[in-house]
Amino acid sequence: MEEIARLVQEYGDLIYVGSFLWTFFEGETFVLFGGYAAHAGIVDPWLLLISAWTGTFLGDQTWFLLGRRYGPALLRRFPKWEPGIEVALDMLHRYDIWFILSFRFIYGIRNVSSVACGLSKLTWPRFAFLNFVAGGVWASTFVGIGYGFGQLSEAVLGKTAKAIGLGALAIFAVVVMLLVRKHQKQLKKKVVAAGRHIEAIPAEANKPQG
């Protein structure tokens, strides 16, 4: 048990990183685990909230901008998105502010809703403000659920709950560490490849034409 606790504490900071990355690209699973970890005293609930809030906000801002600039091209590239985007646009037209504040909780269309907002006539500053508020509500909700589940499981199962929770968090922390390292290696390869491409440009440009 002490070894598991030490492992979780050692890699506990990665939960903040994982929370940011996961919420940038995905959903709430990571935040729920993080909330449980906060109840166990492994991570700071406020730092967890900030990392999740920042990740989900920046992720949806990115998709909004991609939808605004490359919307038609994205639909041609990913035609399966079109039905979901049509539903999202219809709901945006009907409910306006309330849709932007709640689409993270609507399964089935939440992953394309920011793209749909980008395709609409919604201005960037208005979306940014409402998206910031919505991100805070969403992050607070799932950090709170994870924290509450930790309290409930401890009340029902006592010390057994803590043992199970620490084991799960240890596995979770190691998985996060592996994912972060994999991401770093992939990023390094892309940077090296981009550097080689840039270095090759002058030589190609000096070749005789025709």
Side-chain angles (χ1 to χ4, degrees), residues 20-29 56 60 110-111 138:
F20 174 84
L21 293 175
W22 195 277
T23 53
F24 187 96
F25 292 106
E26 295 290 341
E28 68 280 345
T29 308
T56 189
D60 281 295
R110 68 178 184 177
N111 292 332
W138 179 87

Side-chain angles (χ1 to χ4, degrees), residues 51-130:
S51 64
W53 190 344
T54 305
T56 189
F57 169 72
L58 292 179
D60 281 295
Q61 286 302 125
T62 300
W63 282 112
F64 176 88
L65 293 174
L66 289 173
R68 177 58 47 92
R69 186 166 184 179
Y70 304 109
L74 284 172
L75 289 178
R76 289 193 296 271
R77 179 66 178 82
F78 304 102
K80 292 183 179 180
W81 290 7
E82 190 167 354
I85 286 179
E86 288 180 355
V87 172
L89 285 172
D90 181 62
M91 295 183 71
L92 176 64
H93 178 72
R94 290 186 181 186
Y95 306 110
D96 193 29
I97 292 175
W98 296 110
F99 173 72
I100 300 170
L101 293 176
S102 62
F103 68 72
R104 284 178 174 82
F105 299 92
I106 305 175
Y107 290 88
I109 64 168
R110 68 178 184 177
N111 292 332
V112 296
S113 291
S114 295
V115 177
C117 289
L119 284 164
S120 72
K121 295 181 179 179
L122 187 67
T123 64
W124 182 88
R126 187 164 186 263
F127 178 77
F129 173 74
L130 293 172

Side-chain angles (χ1 to χ4, degrees), residues 162-199:
K162 186 173 183 179
I164 295 173
L166 282 174
L169 287 170
I171 295 171
F172 191 60
V174 171
V175 170
V176 173
M177 177 189 67
L178 294 175
L179 288 174
V180 170
R181 287 182 177 177
K182 180 180 178 181
H183 176 73
Q184 289 175 334
K185 289 180 180 179
Q186 290 177 339
L187 183 60
K188 185 177 180 180
K189 288 180 180 179
K190 289 180 180 179
V191 170
V192 171
R196 290 174 178 171
H197 178 69
I198 292 172
E199 290 176 356

